[in-house]
Amino acid sequence: MELLKKVNKIKKIGTFDLEKQLMIIAGPCAIENEEQMKTTAQYLVDHNVHFLRAYPDKPRTSPYSFQGLGSQSHAIIREIKEQYPLFIVAELLNLEDLSFFNDYVDVIQIGARNMQNFALLKCLGAIKKPIILKRGFGNTIEEWLMAAEYLLNFGNDQIILCERGIRTFEPLTRNTLDISSIPIVKQITKLPIIADPSHACGRSDLVKPLSMAAVAAGADGLLIEVHPHPQMSLSDKDQALSFSEFNSLLDDLKALAGLRGLTF
Amino acid sequence: MELLKKVNKIKKIGTFDLEKQLMIIAGPCAIENEEQMKTTAQYLVDHNVHFLRAYPDKPRTSPYSFQGLGSQSHAIIREIKEQYPLFIVAELLNLEDLSFFNDYVDVIQIGARNMQNFALLKCLGAIKKPIILKRGFGNTIEEWLMAAEYLLNFGNDQIILCERGIRTFEPLTRNTLDISSIPIVKQITKLPIIADPSHACGRSDLVKPLSMAAVAAGADGLLIEVHPHPQMSLSDKDQALSFSEFNSLLDDLKALAGLRGLTF
Amino acid sequence: MELLKKVNKIKKIGTFDLEKQLMIIAGPCAIENEEQMKTTAQYLVDHNVHFLRAYPDKPRTSPYSFQGLGSQSHAIIREIKEQYPLFIVAELLNLEDLSFFNDYVDVIQIGARNMQNFALLKCLGAIKKPIILKRGFGNTIEEWLMAAEYLLNFGNDQIILCERGIRTFEPLTRNTLDISSIPIVKQITKLPIIADPSHACGRSDLVKPLSMAAVAAGADGLLIEVHPHPQMSLSDKDQALSFSEFNSLLDDLKALAGLRGLTF
Amino acid sequence: MELLKKVNKIKKIGTFDLEKQLMIIAGPCAIENEEQMKTTAQYLVDHNVHFLRAYPDKPRTSPYSFQGLGSQSHAIIREIKEQYPLFIVAELLNLEDLSFFNDYVDVIQIGARNMQNFALLKCLGAIKKPIILKRGFGNTIEEWLMAAEYLLNFGNDQIILCERGIRTFEPLTRNTLDISSIPIVKQITKLPIIADPSHACGRSDLVKPLSMAAVAAGADGLLIEVHPHPQMSLSDKDQALSFSEFNSLLDDLKALAGLRGLTF
């Protein structure tokens, strides 16, 4: 982990100050239609949340599950980007979409299943964009940091790590949020780290306490699934928060962030 | 989980109010000598901590590791109990010690390795003392609640659950604190739940962030290893906090507990 | 593991030669009634199987599940022992039953949930009977061997280890038979090791392939649930073999054991 | 798993008959030089083993570990293919190598880390070559079968599954070979399944017992690391068998395969 120990923390994304603000990314699991995304975008702007989750593709265990709109959603992203003062966060699955992502996406996610897709890491190492690198659900912290080292080694030092739960024997949650990884990452590296409680637990009723835990443990931000109508979501509907549930979470987060001297 | 869904939360231990106060239990891994325990007891009294960890026995993987002083430590417990206004918390390993525990111990712990020792559960179900029931490191939440159901079924409803980490593939921590278990237990039952970050991670440097996470997630208390001289501890020395580290934790906890309307 | 590296393998149980014969233990999950046990005993005698699983108690996750007949089954065990030329294998749960076990049980099992019940280990260390020590489903091989070291340290060197599966994230089997533990134990110690495929997988349809795998990997025996009428079993009915399924397994085992120079 | 339940087993690879022969694939972890590969190839031909492991690339956790010779090894593969009557097995990591693989590789492996690289699955679904699909070390059997369903759905039905161990809490082996997955896959599908004991355990001393266990449990073949000089191997040297160790394994396998009516 030679480069990892030397590299400095990414400090800003545009005007957003990662050292003074909690990085909250919110939005639906995947882009479903224009109205869904505009409603969400307007809601975030109104509530002082700066990052929109806007995913064209959704990697799915089954080939028969909803896979996302793919490139058909690109027009929606373009419009959102023109009309709302939000940073666009999206996962890159296909290298053929790289040029679109370069032009319209502000923060590119490498998903849990691709954490050790070394061909993808090499390719994203070469671009100049902040990268969210999710931990694989079957991977150790050391392997995760080594994946970050690949990005560094290929030239990209704007890395944000994201803890999203590991696989254990406990069946009441989809995965087990490894809360310890947050302080461990902070000890070993200077990289910012955020948490994704929605994918970690797979249950909307646990998103608030896990979000609070992550921020209390030192997380620099959160990636949260929010949907205008969770029960109509085409994927992962059990884990998406409604707007009113998200409101309540934001209230509690504000007080907690205050203890750490952070705002949104 | 018939009884578990009906039973009410234990509300008080003596004058300690579990609904208004964060239950902080602190002390060394095991009783080593009188001076160690008195120094710790005085420190806790001075810092407004009400529960002393005072364990005569220490279950050890190897028969050649320090096993605790056993019944030789009973005199120390008796003296502490007379001289300091503290509640004594201790783990019961041998049923022959039950009468001593009944007389001198205020809260009896069932350790992780004994969570499914049904003979012990039946026996402790019959006594009238608060019980801390630790989750086995290889056990699911459902099995843990079923162990509580054994206690209830045999007559003891003064149960406090304690999350202490589960075994996963991650090697950088001894176990993985399953932070989700805290809100899940709160949804399914009315029982109080505390967390033991010291045993969960096995590293003193992670105790503070994990403690903060547990309280932010809704825990009713913490069980923390504190030792006057951690490096001289005869067991688990890597996870014990020094007094000054514990001070720093208490300061942060005070502010966080305040957000939930709790004091110590 | 000082004693473990020195101790010699138990070579005989009565006239049964552990170095030349595959140790097959079979019978129902728990004793339910006299007829069930006598039918099974006669069947085993007819098929040259020498060890009868005859468990008075059944440790159960829930206090409301069938717990075994307990001491009411002792009369059945006594009768079986008088009438059939079989070795009786049973799990000891309550120390108050020790005297009965000393008189009527030939091989005493320490169950998975009690592998680290150190009070029980110390007590069984002091008796002169072969002990089957099951691996805890949440325990490492090293911890298991350390539990054996407790038995040795307290005086009992007639130890037979039993691999019965560990807890993993895979939901299609109850546990995951850790087949590697068999050759590892053989490398580190001279102790015999058997496998319990029934509890490992929890599915009767996998018992045959897992039994074959265990013997091919070097296991010295098998512990298998067999019931005259599996669907009427009061516990673990999904994992019990019928007599005809067990017949088919014995046929295949005979050929495989032959490759290792073993008979039944 | 609609297609998976309908599709028939691949029966032949060239003249190799998967229904009558045990599919043994052997060779070094990665191609290191021409001499290493030719020595190995000649050895396999002499011992009646038909499949050569010849991997140009080696996915590595760290960017600083030996990554394989990459396309520099293609000339070696070409030469081997011309000079030895062996089937070439290789892992595809980069889609830009697809045309070379189409021309010179007989069986293409999708590695454990790429099991849910859906972009790769779609691409290999479209070619006409047998595919070995390894189970991800953090993946369930169901997810693995769903990855196979992707291949089927995109047009490739020549699928061979490969169990290579899952991640558990046991530290004495790199992973835990999930022996149960072999009979489970055979129940749910008609696909052939092989095992990779070398990667499962990471220790050469366990390769023989695990190989025997896999074949006894019903595996259709084995993927085994063999190196002319294991201690000089540039990657995974602790798990490679020497030729003499491999000889001894082949002897035992021959007898065991005979019980199932299989030859090599």
Side-chain angles (χ1 to χ4, degrees):
Chain A
M1 292 188 274
E2 301 163 39
L3 295 171
L4 205 56
K5 284 176 176 162
K6 277 186 248 166
V7 77
N8 279 314
K9 177 176 171 168
I10 170 178
K11 290 183 180 160
K12 293 211 166 191
I13 296 174
T15 55
F16 188 87
D17 187 335
L18 273 160
E19 298 187 304
K20 297 187 181 156
Q21 293 176 278
L22 199 63
M23 183 186 191
I24 298 179
I25 307 163
C29 182
I31 297 171
E32 295 168 1
N33 58 60
E34 190 181 322
E35 198 211 327
Q36 166 219 39
M37 293 309 293
K38 289 193 169 175
T39 310
T40 306
Q42 187 59 52
Y43 171 82
L44 296 184
V45 170
D46 294 346
H47 288 76
N48 212 26
V49 173
H50 305 291
F51 295 85
L52 174 67
R53 181 186 165 102
Y55 288 33
D57 302 288
K58 181 68 195 159
R60 301 304 292 272
T61 297
S62 162
Y64 309 117
S65 303
F66 172 62
Q67 308 270 326
L69 298 183
S71 56
Q72 290 176 36
S73 69
H74 290 182
I76 300 176
I77 291 180
R78 265 194 300 262
E79 243 186 283
I80 297 274
K81 194 158 175 60
E82 278 161 24
Q83 295 175 18
Y84 301 87
L86 291 169
F87 297 105
I88 303 291
V89 180
E91 176 173 359
L92 182 68
L93 281 177
N94 301 300
L95 288 176
E96 61 218 40
D97 293 332
L98 189 56
S99 134
F100 174 80
F101 272 63
N102 244 325
D103 291 346
Y104 291 97
V105 173
D106 299 291
V107 182
I108 301 178
Q109 176 187 297
I110 297 174
R113 289 173 186 76
N114 279 319
M115 191 202 88
Q116 290 194 318
N117 180 340
F118 300 114
L120 185 67
L121 292 174
K122 287 177 189 176
C123 184
L124 289 180
I127 70 164
K128 300 295 166 213
K129 289 267 181 187
I131 303 286
I132 290 176
L133 178 65
K134 283 199 153 184
R135 180 179 182 181
F137 48 68
N139 289 107
T140 63
I141 294 172
E142 193 186 341
E143 288 170 343
W144 184 24
L145 295 181
M146 276 301 179
E149 188 83 11
Y150 266 91
L151 289 172
L152 290 168
N153 194 39
F154 284 88
N156 189 330
D157 62 1
Q158 300 181 67
I159 303 170
I160 297 162
L161 296 168
C162 180
E163 162 67 36
R164 48 81 70 218
I166 58 172
R167 209 153 245 188
T168 70
F169 59 74
E170 174 54 55
L172 294 186
T173 44
R174 191 156 72 168
N175 295 127
T176 296
L177 186 75
D178 182 6
I179 192 81
S180 316
S181 74
I182 296 168
I184 290 175
V185 158
K186 296 221 153 277
Q187 280 197 2
I188 301 177
T189 80
K190 293 182 191 131
L191 300 185
I193 175 169
I194 66 174
D196 176 346
S198 308
H199 281 86
C201 63
R203 295 168 48 163
S204 60
D205 60 350
L206 301 181
V207 169
K208 192 197 224 182
L210 295 188
S211 297
M212 296 296 280
V215 172
D220 297 292
L222 296 164
L223 172 56
I224 292 174
E225 290 201 8
V226 179
H227 194 285
H229 309 288
Q231 287 317 308
M232 293 170 61
S233 178
L234 297 178
S235 53
D236 285 345
K237 68 182 176 182
D238 293 334
Q239 73 199 33
L241 297 187
S242 66
F243 287 168
S244 75
E245 289 164 336
F246 189 54
N247 271 355
S248 157
L249 170 58
L250 288 176
D251 285 347
D252 285 10
L253 280 176
K254 203 159 289 179
L256 182 58
L259 294 184
R260 289 177 49 199
L262 298 172
T263 61
F264 288 171
Chain B
M1 293 189 276
E2 301 163 38
L3 295 172
L4 205 57
K5 284 177 176 162
K6 277 186 246 164
V7 77
N8 278 315
K9 179 176 171 169
I10 169 177
K11 290 183 180 162
K12 291 212 166 190
I13 297 174
T15 55
F16 188 86
D17 187 334
L18 273 160
E19 298 187 305
K20 295 186 181 158
Q21 293 176 277
L22 198 64
M23 182 186 193
I24 299 179
I25 307 164
C29 182
I31 297 172
E32 294 167 3
N33 58 61
E34 191 181 321
E35 198 212 326
Q36 169 220 37
M37 292 309 294
K38 291 194 169 174
T39 310
T40 305
Q42 188 58 53
Y43 171 82
L44 296 184
V45 171
D46 293 345
H47 287 78
N48 212 26
V49 173
H50 305 289
F51 295 85
L52 174 67
R53 180 187 167 101
Y55 288 33
D57 302 288
K58 179 71 195 158
R60 300 304 293 271
T61 297
S62 163
Y64 310 118
S65 302
F66 173 63
Q67 307 268 326
L69 298 182
S71 56
Q72 289 176 37
S73 69
H74 290 183
I76 300 175
I77 291 180
R78 267 193 297 263
E79 247 187 277
I80 297 273
K81 192 156 176 64
E82 279 160 22
Q83 297 175 18
Y84 302 87
L86 290 169
F87 298 106
I88 303 291
V89 181
E91 175 171 0
L92 181 69
L93 280 177
N94 301 300
L95 287 177
E96 60 218 41
D97 294 332
L98 188 57
S99 135
F100 174 80
F101 272 64
N102 243 326
D103 291 346
Y104 292 97
V105 172
D106 299 291
V107 182
I108 301 179
Q109 177 188 297
I110 298 174
R113 287 170 188 77
N114 280 319
M115 191 201 88
Q116 291 194 317
N117 180 340
F118 299 116
L120 185 66
L121 292 174
K122 288 176 189 178
C123 184
L124 290 180
I127 70 164
K128 300 294 167 216
K129 289 267 180 186
I131 304 285
I132 290 176
L133 178 65
K134 281 198 154 185
R135 178 179 183 181
F137 49 69
N139 290 107
T140 63
I141 294 171
E142 191 185 343
E143 288 170 344
W144 185 23
L145 296 182
M146 278 300 180
E149 188 83 12
Y150 266 91
L151 289 171
L152 289 169
N153 194 39
F154 285 86
N156 190 329
D157 63 359
Q158 300 182 66
I159 303 169
I160 297 162
L161 297 168
C162 180
E163 162 67 36
R164 49 78 72 217
I166 57 172
R167 210 153 244 186
T168 70
F169 60 74
E170 175 55 54
L172 293 186
T173 44
R174 193 156 70 168
N175 294 129
T176 296
L177 185 76
D178 182 6
I179 192 80
S180 316
S181 74
I182 296 168
I184 289 175
V185 159
K186 295 220 154 279
Q187 279 197 2
I188 300 178
T189 80
K190 292 180 192 136
L191 301 183
I193 175 168
I194 65 174
D196 176 347
S198 308
H199 281 86
C201 64
R203 295 167 50 163
S204 61
D205 59 350
L206 300 183
V207 168
K208 193 197 224 180
L210 294 189
S211 297
M212 297 296 282
V215 173
D220 297 292
L222 295 165
L223 172 55
I224 291 175
E225 291 202 8
V226 179
H227 194 286
H229 309 287
Q231 286 317 305
M232 293 170 62
S233 177
L234 296 177
S235 53
D236 286 345
K237 69 182 176 182
D238 293 335
Q239 74 199 32
L241 297 188
S242 67
F243 288 169
S244 75
E245 289 164 336
F246 188 53
N247 272 355
S248 157
L249 170 58
L250 288 176
D251 286 347
D252 285 10
L253 280 175
K254 204 159 289 178
L256 181 57
L259 294 185
R260 287 178 48 199
L262 299 171
T263 61
F264 289 171
Chain C
M1 294 187 275
E2 299 163 40
L3 296 171
L4 205 57
K5 284 177 176 162
K6 277 186 248 167
V7 77
N8 278 315
K9 178 175 171 172
I10 169 177
K11 290 184 181 160
K12 292 212 167 191
I13 297 174
T15 55
F16 188 85
D17 187 335
L18 273 160
E19 298 186 305
K20 297 187 182 157
Q21 293 176 278
L22 199 63
M23 183 186 191
I24 299 180
I25 307 163
C29 183
I31 296 171
E32 295 168 2
N33 58 61
E34 192 181 320
E35 198 213 326
Q36 167 218 39
M37 293 309 291
K38 289 194 169 174
T39 309
T40 305
Q42 188 58 52
Y43 171 81
L44 295 184
V45 170
D46 293 345
H47 288 76
N48 212 27
V49 172
H50 306 289
F51 295 85
L52 174 66
R53 181 185 165 103
Y55 288 33
D57 303 288
K58 180 70 196 160
R60 300 304 294 271
T61 297
S62 162
Y64 309 118
S65 302
F66 173 63
Q67 308 268 326
L69 298 183
S71 56
Q72 290 176 36
S73 69
H74 290 184
I76 299 176
I77 290 180
R78 267 194 298 262
E79 246 187 279
I80 297 273
K81 193 158 174 60
E82 280 161 23
Q83 296 175 19
Y84 300 88
L86 291 169
F87 298 105
I88 303 291
V89 181
E91 176 172 0
L92 182 69
L93 280 177
N94 301 302
L95 287 177
E96 60 217 40
D97 294 331
L98 189 56
S99 134
F100 173 80
F101 272 63
N102 244 324
D103 291 346
Y104 292 98
V105 173
D106 299 291
V107 182
I108 302 179
Q109 177 188 296
I110 298 174
R113 289 173 185 77
N114 279 320
M115 192 202 86
Q116 290 194 318
N117 180 341
F118 299 115
L120 184 67
L121 293 174
K122 288 176 190 179
C123 184
L124 290 180
I127 70 162
K128 299 295 168 216
K129 289 267 181 188
I131 303 284
I132 290 176
L133 178 65
K134 282 200 154 183
R135 178 179 182 179
F137 49 67
N139 289 106
T140 63
I141 294 171
E142 193 185 342
E143 288 169 344
W144 184 23
L145 296 180
M146 277 301 181
E149 188 82 11
Y150 267 92
L151 289 171
L152 290 169
N153 194 39
F154 285 87
N156 189 329
D157 62 0
Q158 301 181 66
I159 303 169
I160 297 161
L161 297 168
C162 180
E163 162 67 34
R164 48 79 72 219
I166 57 172
R167 210 153 244 187
T168 70
F169 60 74
E170 174 54 54
L172 294 186
T173 44
R174 191 156 72 167
N175 294 128
T176 297
L177 185 75
D178 182 5
I179 192 79
S180 316
S181 74
I182 296 168
I184 289 175
V185 159
K186 296 222 153 275
Q187 280 197 2
I188 300 177
T189 80
K190 293 182 191 131
L191 301 184
I193 176 168
I194 65 174
D196 176 347
S198 308
H199 281 86
C201 64
R203 293 167 52 163
S204 61
D205 59 351
L206 300 182
V207 169
K208 192 199 228 182
L210 294 188
S211 296
M212 297 296 281
V215 173
D220 297 291
L222 295 165
L223 172 56
I224 291 175
E225 291 201 8
V226 179
H227 195 286
H229 309 287
Q231 287 316 307
M232 293 171 62
S233 177
L234 296 177
S235 52
D236 286 344
K237 67 180 178 185
D238 293 335
Q239 73 199 33
L241 296 188
S242 67
F243 287 169
S244 74
E245 289 164 337
F246 188 53
N247 272 354
S248 156
L249 170 58
L250 288 176
D251 285 346
D252 285 10
L253 279 176
K254 204 159 290 177
L256 182 57
L259 293 185
R260 287 177 49 198
L262 299 172
T263 60
F264 287 171
Chain D
M1 294 188 276
E2 302 164 38
L3 295 172
L4 205 55
K5 284 176 178 164
K6 276 187 249 167
V7 76
N8 279 315
K9 178 176 171 171
I10 168 177
K11 289 183 181 161
K12 293 212 166 192
I13 297 174
T15 55
F16 188 86
D17 187 335
L18 273 161
E19 297 187 303
K20 296 186 181 158
Q21 293 175 277
L22 199 63
M23 183 187 191
I24 299 179
I25 307 164
C29 182
I31 297 171
E32 295 169 1
N33 58 61
E34 190 181 322
E35 198 212 326
Q36 168 220 36
M37 292 308 293
K38 290 193 168 174
T39 309
T40 305
Q42 187 59 53
Y43 171 81
L44 296 184
V45 170
D46 293 346
H47 289 77
N48 213 24
V49 172
H50 305 290
F51 294 85
L52 174 67
R53 181 186 166 102
Y55 288 33
D57 303 288
K58 180 70 196 158
R60 300 305 292 272
T61 297
S62 161
Y64 310 118
S65 302
F66 173 62
Q67 308 269 326
L69 297 183
S71 56
Q72 289 176 38
S73 69
H74 290 184
I76 299 176
I77 290 180
R78 267 195 297 262
E79 246 186 280
I80 297 273
K81 194 158 173 61
E82 279 161 23
Q83 296 175 19
Y84 301 87
L86 291 169
F87 297 106
I88 302 292
V89 180
E91 175 172 0
L92 182 69
L93 281 176
N94 301 301
L95 288 176
E96 60 218 42
D97 294 332
L98 188 56
S99 133
F100 174 79
F101 272 63
N102 244 326
D103 291 346
Y104 292 97
V105 174
D106 299 292
V107 182
I108 302 178
Q109 176 188 296
I110 297 174
R113 289 173 185 77
N114 279 320
M115 192 202 87
Q116 290 194 318
N117 180 341
F118 300 115
L120 185 67
L121 292 174
K122 288 176 190 177
C123 184
L124 289 179
I127 69 163
K128 300 295 167 214
K129 289 267 180 186
I131 303 285
I132 291 177
L133 178 65
K134 283 198 152 185
R135 179 179 182 180
F137 49 70
N139 289 106
T140 64
I141 295 171
E142 192 185 341
E143 288 170 344
W144 185 22
L145 296 181
M146 277 301 180
E149 187 83 12
Y150 267 92
L151 289 172
L152 289 169
N153 194 39
F154 284 88
N156 189 330
D157 62 1
Q158 301 181 66
I159 303 171
I160 297 161
L161 297 168
C162 179
E163 162 67 36
R164 49 79 70 217
I166 56 172
R167 211 153 243 187
T168 70
F169 59 74
E170 174 55 55
L172 294 186
T173 43
R174 192 156 72 170
N175 295 128
T176 296
L177 186 75
D178 182 6
I179 192 80
S180 316
S181 73
I182 296 168
I184 289 175
V185 159
K186 295 222 154 276
Q187 280 198 0
I188 301 178
T189 80
K190 294 182 190 132
L191 300 184
I193 174 168
I194 65 174
D196 176 348
S198 309
H199 281 86
C201 63
R203 295 168 50 164
S204 60
D205 60 349
L206 301 182
V207 169
K208 193 198 225 181
L210 295 188
S211 297
M212 296 296 282
V215 173
D220 297 291
L222 296 165
L223 172 56
I224 292 175
E225 291 201 8
V226 179
H227 193 285
H229 309 288
Q231 287 317 307
M232 293 170 62
S233 178
L234 296 177
S235 53
D236 285 344
K237 68 182 176 182
D238 293 335
Q239 73 199 34
L241 297 188
S242 67
F243 287 168
S244 74
E245 290 165 334
F246 188 54
N247 273 353
S248 157
L249 170 58
L250 288 176
D251 286 346
D252 285 10
L253 280 176
K254 204 159 290 178
L256 182 58
L259 293 184
R260 287 178 49 200
L262 299 172
T263 61
F264 288 171

